[in-house]
Amino acid sequence: MKTVLMVAEKPSLAQSIAKILSRGSMSSHKGLNGTCSVHEYTGTFAGQPVRFKMTSVCGHVMTLDFLGKYNKWDKVDPAELFSQAPTEKKEANPKLNMVKFLQVEGKGCDYIVLWLDCDKEGENICFEVLDAVLPVMNPAHGSEKTVFRARFSSITDTDICNAMARLGEPDHNEALSVDARQELDLRIGCAFTRFQTKYFQGKYGDLDSSLISFGPCQTPTLGFCVERHDKIQSFKPETYWVLQAKVNIDKDRSLLLDWDRVRVFDREIAQMFLNMTKMEKEAQVEATSRKEKAKQRPLALNTVEMLRVASSSLGMGPQHAMQTAERLYTQGYISYPRTETTHYPENFDLKGLLRQQANHPYWADTVKQLLSEGINRPRKGHDAGDHPPITPMRSATEAELGGEAWWLYEYITRHFIATVSYDCKYLQSTISFRIGPEHFTCTGKTVISPGFTEIMPWQSIPLEESLPTCQKGDTFPVDEMKMLEKQTSPPDYLTEAELITLMEKHGIGTDASIPVHINNICQRNYVVVESGRRLKPTNLGIVLVHGYYKIDVELVLPTIRSAVEKQLNLIAQGKADYRQVLGHTLDVFKRKFHYFVDSIAGMDELMEVSFSPLAATGKPLSRCGKCHRFMKYIQAKPSRLHCSHCDETYTLPQNGTIKLYKELRCPLDDFELVLWSSGSRGKSYPLCPYCYNHPPFRDMKKGMGCNECTHPTCQHSLSMLGIGQCVECENGVLVLDPTSGPKWKMACNKCNVVAHCFENAHRVRVSPETCSSCEAALLDVDFNKAKSPLPGDETQHTGCVFCDPVFQELVELKHAASCHPMHRNGPGRRQGRGRARGRRPAGKPSARRPKDKMSALAAYFV
């Protein structure tokens, strides 16, 4: 029997599709990576009985990156990244072992059906999967077709079964357009980002951003925000005057009239008009009109409109809204949420979707009325040729979804119902008055038929007082005539919804990437999100954009990126050559980069006005090993130490606190050590600022602290404080934290495992002796006499944390899943006796590094 491998984009999606196609009769098991499941069942394919294997990836299998030295900022001129630097595809998440997993599942398969998301990114992932699987599949016989592509827009029985019945082929051109975008963004973004980050962080201490990034889409997005900021700052309010008249309709009612001139900017002229009208006692009706008007129902919902509403009305940021929509889609509640189309296909089953909502407690009456009276033909929108508009696929309740998922689902459902509802019809009445020589107007609206506003009440016509019935020549007494002084007001900062509109208008990003670009400028501290989800640029964001304006305005204007997007779309359509587009665009930006580097002084002039130089920033903390003067600790991101005398800057570990470590010095370079800590329950370790930036030994890399230093005799090094192989990761070593007493802890020097141990012990020291069973270093522990866990009032004990039953009960693992026997039975339960078998913790020799793979892992007990 032949085998068909089917691959979806997410594990939950694979499970849903397999359930539909197998009609629930399938067996499931976890794959070798522990994340992706494999669902198996039998059926027919191409007219023959086959075994189906449905599994998934977790987004992109591969990612594009530079090779070798080109990933090291200090060793390569950023200009080389445009053309000379070779790139390669690497696994996007090495921990998932996705390539190996796909090859194991694909080995010996005869056919492959790709169920990746039906957009350009999905097409790209199709070919990533094929690159991994095709070499291990059974060879095709002659011209037999073995690769198939399923295209679908929702996780419903009908859509999935139809997709399986009409399989096509993956689109290589669309995949190439994504490859081109990835390479352009990598080369251009990295070159500019590396240069300006190193240049400005080497000069200024209070930028408060760990990365001064540039992106072909990110930077124009920031440009829109700064452009609005500049308009606000340059705005000069102007005083103007308006006339306001109030007329009495009867004893209890009056009307405020709007002046036809609207406003004047000269007070004396406004006073003249007031003098001409204030003595008049009556307002005479000049004309009346009553017109029936309609407020149109909305177009079908696309991604951009959904993100706009989520931000402006639901208070959800674009990226969070997109993640929520994707979750609703994979759970089968809505159709595919990435689409530019606002037009339903001719064969779209509108009534079928509407019937699913007929018993919903919130809108059942509206839906039933539509079904009985007949739905209205939706407005003709834009057909982008991708996916149908976003619609609900099945009914759901607030209790079922909860929170923000429900808010978004409710909006999508109400919007869908509104698109097949009738327009809101209302009567607009207008009365024109004359008071002396001046003309005034009053307008009112009366709803005739609410139409779609019943299901979207926030769009309804506001209730207004009805206007009096009158005709030309009628008069009404003037109750008041006055002149009001007002001022023009500046525009407000852009909302996320307004920014999304600008990005869509100018072709910056795609429906899928727009939320990412907005999130990036927030993460980089270029803008902050204020109340009403308005985006206010920071000093850093403002100076960067003004600097781009000063050097090369095209770096920040949307025009050049919009042109690139058009070229990428032509690649997707097969109308442009991938290599030519890539080469031409990189050549343009390479020239711009060289000009930017040569002209950086222009941006620097702006920077020095807003930010402080390194020498004037921070507080004295530790002594430099070269000049023995105090270096200043700069806490703003990225935190670092700066010696103003030597004019040297030393990077530090991020996202924690830094303090002086007992005024102890490194034996290699005489720099005072500092202590990094992530908190009382987290990791902490000492480090030498110089060694951290300039590794002293060949087996060390930049960014290693004393807990990874292989110095053979230094009391702070891995050699003296390392205990044994980490119980969670392959390469890490558990290292004693000598500063943690009396709440002692050991922490892995690679991953986030922390073991809390020996609380209230007076002293804990790593012994030169090793365990005879597992070769881990023994610990000498001196306990508090009043709280000693040792029998017979003993206070001192030497043992192995892995093997000693006394110590096993005193160790508590945090931040990771336990996999060592000392944790399996939970606290307070002794392990059964038995002979150690399998692989063991690292031993003490060779600076606590594992002697071989067998001695590197935890022991398993019978």
Side-chain angles (χ1 to χ4, degrees):
M1 184 182 289
K2 291 189 174 183
T3 304
V4 180
L5 177 67
M6 302 198 294
V7 183
E9 191 154 325
K10 295 181 179 70
S12 57
L13 207 57
Q15 184 179 18
S16 300
I17 295 170
K19 273 185 180 178
I20 293 170
L21 293 176
S22 68
R23 295 182 172 87
S25 58
M26 62 182 187
S27 63
S28 302
H29 65 271
K30 283 285 185 186
L32 68 84
N33 63 7
T35 300
C36 302
S37 295
V38 183
H39 313 283
E40 299 188 37
Y41 63 96
T42 56
T44 58
F45 186 82
Q48 57 186 319
V50 297
R51 180 170 68 103
F52 287 101
K53 292 172 68 177
M54 166 62 86
T55 187
S56 73
V57 291
C58 296
H60 273 284
V61 179
M62 310 300 286
T63 186
L64 190 70
D65 205 353
F66 294 114
L67 278 170
K69 68 173 186 177
Y70 293 95
N71 269 322
K72 298 177 180 177
W73 287 36
D74 297 329
K75 295 193 175 182
V76 176
D77 182 349
E80 295 181 32
L81 302 181
F82 284 97
S83 54
Q84 298 175 30
T87 60
E88 66 172 345
K89 291 272 189 176
K90 298 178 180 177
E91 284 204 52
N93 190 341
K95 291 182 179 180
L96 290 178
N97 282 320
M98 193 59 71
V99 171
K100 185 178 179 182
F101 164 70
L102 289 171
Q103 289 176 341
V104 168
E105 298 304 330
K107 188 173 183 179
C109 289
D110 301 280
Y111 306 99
I112 182 168
V113 181
L114 300 157
W115 290 85
L116 285 307
D117 286 352
C118 299
D119 56 12
K120 291 172 187 172
E121 295 290 337
E123 297 301 322
N124 191 262
I125 300 172
C126 281
F127 286 91
E128 293 176 352
V129 172
L130 291 176
D131 287 342
V133 172
L134 286 181
V136 298
M137 286 177 58
N138 291 334
H141 300 291
S143 59
E144 182 186 21
K145 185 178 176 184
T146 58
V147 177
F148 299 90
R149 174 72 158 111
R151 302 190 185 280
F152 57 101
S153 297
S154 61
I155 315 301
T156 62
D157 293 13
T158 303
D159 211 6
I160 295 302
C161 291
N162 286 342
M164 191 66 182
R166 294 195 290 267
L167 296 174
E169 297 180 4
D171 191 323
H172 189 245
N173 289 326
E174 288 199 349
L176 277 179
S177 74
V178 174
D179 283 339
R181 178 182 282 109
Q182 287 178 348
E183 187 162 349
L184 289 174
D185 289 348
L186 176 70
R187 292 184 182 277
I188 297 168
C190 285
F192 278 91
T193 297
R194 289 186 189 183
F195 171 73
Q196 61 187 28
T197 299
K198 288 174 67 178
Y199 185 88
F200 291 120
Q201 284 186 353
K203 294 191 71 174
Y204 303 102
D206 52 352
L207 298 176
D208 201 23
S209 181
S210 55
L211 203 66
I212 316 299
S213 64
F214 174 94
C217 287
Q218 171 195 299
T219 303
T221 302
L222 174 61
F224 290 129
C225 300
V226 176
E227 182 183 18
R228 176 60 65 88
H229 167 84
D230 291 344
K231 286 181 179 178
I232 294 169
Q233 295 302 308
S234 62
F235 183 83
K236 294 181 179 178
E238 289 186 81
T239 304
Y240 65 91
W241 290 265
V242 299
L243 294 190
Q244 187 182 82
K246 185 196 288 187
V247 298
N248 291 328
I249 299 172
D250 51 40
K251 290 182 180 179
D252 301 319
R253 291 178 62 201
S254 60
L255 282 180
L256 284 176
L257 309 185
D258 296 320
W259 190 23
D260 284 8
R261 295 184 188 272
V262 183
R263 61 186 179 181
V264 293
F265 288 88
D266 189 311
R267 191 182 191 287
E268 291 184 2
I269 292 176
Q271 185 66 48
M272 177 191 73
F273 285 127
L274 178 65
N275 294 338
M276 292 165 63
T277 55
K278 69 180 180 180
M279 302 306 294
E280 298 291 331
K281 302 297 183 186
E282 291 184 335
Q284 184 174 334
V285 177
E286 291 279 289
T288 62
S289 67
R290 291 162 68 86
K291 290 182 181 178
E292 187 176 307
K293 293 192 172 184
K295 185 174 185 177
Q296 282 190 311
R297 61 202 179 281
L299 288 167
L301 185 64
N302 67 2
T303 305
V304 168
E305 181 62 19
M306 178 188 73
L307 296 177
R308 271 197 290 252
V309 173
S311 175
S312 61
S313 301
L314 306 181
M316 298 170 67
Q319 190 166 43
H320 178 52
M322 199 71 231
Q323 290 167 348
T324 305
E326 286 173 348
R327 193 161 59 250
L328 289 171
Y329 160 67
T330 56
Q331 293 170 346
Y333 290 106
I334 66 171
S335 62
Y336 191 61
R338 291 194 183 111
T339 177
E340 297 176 13
T341 294
T342 57
H343 178 72
Y344 295 116
E346 294 304 320
N347 60 350
F348 200 78
D349 187 12
L350 294 166
K351 288 185 179 179
L353 290 181
L354 205 56
R355 288 191 194 99
Q356 292 184 353
Q357 305 292 337
N359 296 314
H360 198 282
Y362 285 7
W363 43 72
D365 293 342
T366 303
V367 170
K368 288 175 181 175
Q369 186 178 351
L370 276 172
L371 289 170
S372 63
E373 295 178 359
I375 64 173
N376 192 16
R377 185 179 179 84
R379 289 170 59 193
K380 184 173 177 61
H382 168 64
D383 185 359
D386 49 0
H387 287 272
I390 305 168
T391 58
M393 300 312 299
R394 59 187 172 105
S395 184
T397 62
E398 186 171 4
E400 189 177 343
L401 296 178
E404 294 172 323
W406 162 251
W407 299 346
L408 193 60
Y409 173 84
E410 181 186 18
Y411 168 71
I412 290 169
T413 305
R414 288 183 181 274
H415 190 109
F416 165 68
I417 298 170
T419 62
V420 295
S421 299
Y422 290 84
D423 291 345
C424 171
K425 294 181 179 178
Y426 62 94
L427 192 67
Q428 180 168 296
S429 303
T430 305
I431 306 175
S432 297
F433 293 90
R434 181 174 59 80
I435 302 176
E438 290 303 294
H439 293 82
F440 297 81
T441 304
C442 189
T443 303
K445 296 173 184 175
T446 307
V447 176
I448 300 171
S449 170
F452 78 93
T453 61
E454 274 191 328
I455 195 70
M456 298 177 81
W458 61 90
Q459 295 272 17
S460 59
I461 303 295
L463 292 173
E464 296 178 355
E465 270 195 89
S466 57
L467 298 183
T469 302
C470 57
Q471 55 188 344
K472 184 178 180 180
D474 289 352
T475 59
F476 294 91
V478 176
D479 180 55
E480 185 181 31
M481 175 67 71
K482 61 182 178 180
M483 181 175 70
L484 301 177
E485 181 180 305
K486 297 185 177 183
Q487 277 195 328
T488 55
S489 57
D492 212 334
Y493 285 103
L494 283 179
T495 62
E496 285 173 332
E498 291 168 337
L499 179 57
I500 291 167
T501 301
L502 286 170
M503 294 174 72
E504 182 193 32
K505 177 183 176 183
H506 293 281
I508 300 299
T510 63
D511 51 4
S513 65
I514 282 174
V516 177
H517 301 316
I518 296 175
N519 185 63
N520 281 344
I521 63 173
C522 297
Q523 293 292 320
R524 298 287 183 260
N525 195 34
Y526 294 163
V527 300
V528 291
V529 182
E530 297 198 324
S531 61
R533 300 210 66 84
R534 294 190 177 276
L535 302 171
K536 183 177 181 181
T538 61
N539 273 348
L540 180 58
I542 294 164
V543 171
L544 281 175
V545 169
H546 288 174
Y548 296 135
Y549 274 133
K550 195 171 183 180
I551 296 171
D552 183 354
V553 71
E554 286 190 338
L555 290 175
V556 73
L557 290 181
T559 47
I560 192 165
R561 182 60 192 192
S562 181
V564 172
E565 288 289 346
K566 288 176 182 175
Q567 291 297 311
L568 295 175
N569 286 332
L570 289 176
I571 294 174
Q573 296 163 21
K575 297 178 180 178
D577 182 76
Y578 161 77
R579 287 290 167 198
Q580 287 182 353
V581 171
L582 195 62
H584 173 72
T585 307
L586 286 175
D587 184 60
V588 169
F589 273 95
K590 184 178 181 180
R591 294 169 187 270
K592 289 183 174 295
F593 177 78
H594 283 297
Y595 184 74
F596 179 75
V597 171
D598 292 341
S599 310
I600 194 65
M603 185 182 282
D604 200 21
E605 290 173 359
L606 302 176
M607 282 280 187
E608 65 186 13
V609 173
S610 300
F611 301 102
S612 305
L614 280 173
T617 312
K619 296 179 180 178
L621 180 70
S622 66
R623 290 185 183 274
C624 171
K626 296 179 181 180
C627 66
H628 298 101
R629 289 178 171 86
F630 275 104
M631 297 188 292
K632 286 189 173 180
Y633 171 47
I634 298 163
Q635 198 167 358
K637 291 182 181 179
S639 57
R640 52 210 190 275
L641 286 166
H642 178 72
C643 177
S644 56
H645 184 264
C646 301
D647 195 22
E648 293 280 354
T649 302
Y650 302 95
T651 59
L652 297 171
Q654 303 299 304
N655 303 317
T657 59
I658 292 283
K659 62 182 181 181
L660 190 63
Y661 185 52
K662 304 177 182 178
E663 296 185 359
L664 298 173
R665 294 178 181 267
C666 175
L668 294 173
D669 48 50
D670 212 30
F671 273 72
E672 281 189 332
L673 303 183
V674 295
L675 182 74
W676 176 87
S677 174
S678 63
S680 59
R681 301 293 289 176
K683 292 171 64 171
S684 60
Y685 57 85
L687 63 107
C688 164
Y690 189 84
C691 293
Y692 188 82
N693 290 268
H694 306 281
F697 303 111
R698 286 184 179 180
D699 57 352
M700 291 181 64
K701 295 179 180 178
K702 185 176 180 180
M704 287 185 169
C706 295
N707 62 345
E708 294 182 83
C709 178
T710 53
H711 192 292
T713 59
C714 176
Q715 59 178 321
H716 319 295
S717 70
L718 173 66
S719 305
M720 303 303 290
L721 297 176
I723 297 166
Q725 174 70 30
C726 175
V727 297
E728 180 73 11
C729 66
E730 289 188 6
N731 300 318
V733 176
L734 287 175
V735 181
L736 177 69
D737 180 356
T739 68
S740 56
K743 296 184 178 181
W744 298 91
K745 57 191 175 185
M746 305 172 289
C748 176
N749 59 8
K750 295 291 185 186
C751 71
N752 63 350
V753 166
V754 177
H756 297 271
C757 54
F758 316 129
E759 189 164 347
N760 296 316
H762 281 312
R763 182 175 62 86
V764 177
R765 186 177 67 85
V766 180
S767 168
E769 305 296 323
T770 57
C771 174
S772 59
S773 297
C774 69
E775 297 186 6
L778 302 182
L779 293 181
D780 297 328
V781 184
D782 187 357
F783 289 100
N784 186 318
K785 188 172 183 178
K787 298 180 180 180
S788 174
L790 303 178
D793 294 330
E794 292 185 20
T795 59
Q796 293 183 342
H797 187 75
T798 299
C800 172
V801 291
F802 296 107
C803 305
D804 191 314
V806 174
F807 280 175
Q808 285 175 12
E809 293 186 357
L810 303 176
V811 178
E812 178 189 11
L813 197 68
K814 294 290 185 181
H815 300 302
S818 58
C819 63
H820 194 280
M822 73 173 179
H823 308 294
R824 283 210 301 259
N825 290 345
R829 295 180 60 184
R830 290 183 180 272
Q831 300 293 329
R833 289 179 177 269
R835 192 163 57 89
R837 64 177 183 179
R839 293 177 289 185
R840 303 172 300 173
K844 177 127 184 215
S846 185
R848 306 283 193 262
R849 297 298 175 108
K851 291 197 297 185
D852 54 57
K853 202 163 185 180
M854 290 299 291
S855 66
L857 301 174
Y860 287 86
F861 286 74
V862 178

